[in-house]
Amino acid sequence: MSHLFILFFATFSAALMAVVFPGLINITTAKTSAKKGKTKGMVFAAGASTTVILQAYIGVLISKYLYKNPNVIDILLKIALVVFAFFAIYFFILAKRKKNVKQQSRNVKIEESKKNVFLKGMLISALNVLPIAYFCGLNAAWNVSGWIKFQLWDILVFIIAAGLGTFAMLYMYVFYFDKLQERTDSFARYSDYILSALMAVLLIITFIRLFYS
């Protein structure tokens, strides 16, 4: 039973560190908070973290038979290439269109139901399939260390810790950008450009990971 505590804190810390630097989910969470308020930002973060729990579970399943199916990750990365390319272009076009919006509209918060924000958080998080590979490798490492035994409680602790670790860091992003009120307008104005650039970076990284070997 004591190994469950080690498993939880190790996985929580690893999940938290995985999103500590600005990335797709972080920037979109901060963008949602800047445009729609802290509460909507928290709901978005909850949706994104829910998807991370599912991705962590998929990572657990893949780690069990990855040595028998080496093409699984390759397929996921190929899908990621198409997704990242599409959204890199999408966010860039979206940013260009927003540039033509009148100045007074920038300060108006967009009304959107919490349910839609939650689902959007899940969707945006699902677009990034790289965490599946991350949690797959993490699970394999914990297995070697003896912290996870592929039993029900071990798996539950692993995926819940992954989700909570992600949510904790996203909460910090919501809190941080919410405190900088004087900068939220500027951030919201350029957030789509930032997302487009991040998608392009993820596209390049995924391409290298897929074809380097």
Side-chain angles (χ1 to χ4, degrees):
M1 182 63 69
S2 60
H3 78 281
L4 293 178
F5 293 99
I6 299 176
L7 174 62
F8 178 85
F9 286 110
T11 306
F12 180 91
S13 301
L16 186 145
M17 293 303 297
V19 290
V20 68
F21 297 108
L24 172 63
I25 307 303
N26 315 60
I27 296 299
T28 310
T29 301
K31 170 186 173 181
T32 302
S33 179
K35 286 187 173 182
K36 304 173 185 178
K38 182 178 178 180
T39 300
K40 295 291 178 64
M42 295 289 292
V43 173
F44 182 92
S49 301
T50 300
T51 295
V52 168
I53 291 178
L54 298 176
Q55 291 174 326
Y57 180 66
I58 294 174
V60 172
L61 297 180
I62 292 177
S63 66
K64 292 182 178 181
Y65 61 85
L66 186 59
Y67 68 97
K68 294 181 180 179
N69 300 272
N71 294 327
V72 172
I73 298 300
D74 286 343
I75 294 174
L76 292 175
L77 291 176
K78 288 176 181 177
I79 295 175
L81 282 177
V82 177
V83 171
F84 292 150
F86 173 81
F87 279 95
I89 298 173
Y90 170 79
F91 283 119
F92 183 78
I93 295 176
L94 186 63
K96 283 291 186 180
R97 288 181 178 177
K98 286 184 178 180
K99 196 173 181 179
N100 297 323
V101 178
K102 293 182 179 180
Q103 285 285 70
Q104 60 266 27
S105 65
R106 288 186 323 209
N107 296 323
V108 178
K109 292 186 180 295
I110 301 174
E111 291 298 328
E112 190 174 5
S113 69
K114 292 181 180 179
K115 179 181 178 180
N116 288 342
V117 173
F118 182 86
L119 293 176
K120 185 178 293 183
M122 292 188 67
L123 175 61
I124 295 297
S125 183
L127 294 177
N128 185 11
V129 298
L130 294 179
I132 296 178
Y134 175 74
F135 288 115
C136 178
L138 196 65
N139 186 269
W142 289 178
N143 185 35
V144 172
S145 302
W147 294 345
I148 190 168
K149 302 175 182 179
F150 295 118
Q151 297 176 354
L152 177 60
W153 282 108
D154 295 62
I155 295 175
L156 287 176
V157 169
F158 180 83
I159 64 176
I160 291 175
L164 290 178
T166 301
F167 181 81
M169 181 52 64
L170 294 182
Y171 174 82
M172 294 181 190
Y173 269 81
V174 170
F175 181 79
Y176 176 73
F177 283 102
D178 181 69
K179 288 298 181 180
L180 298 181
Q181 294 292 336
E182 69 278 7
R183 298 184 182 180
T184 54
D185 286 343
S186 177
F187 175 79
R189 193 186 318 149
Y190 296 106
S191 57
D192 287 318
Y193 283 111
I194 297 174
L195 284 172
S196 178
L198 285 172
M199 284 292 184
V201 172
L202 288 173
L203 176 65
I204 295 172
I205 293 175
T206 305
F207 184 86
I208 293 174
R209 288 190 56 181
L210 182 61
F211 293 104
Y212 177 78
S213 59

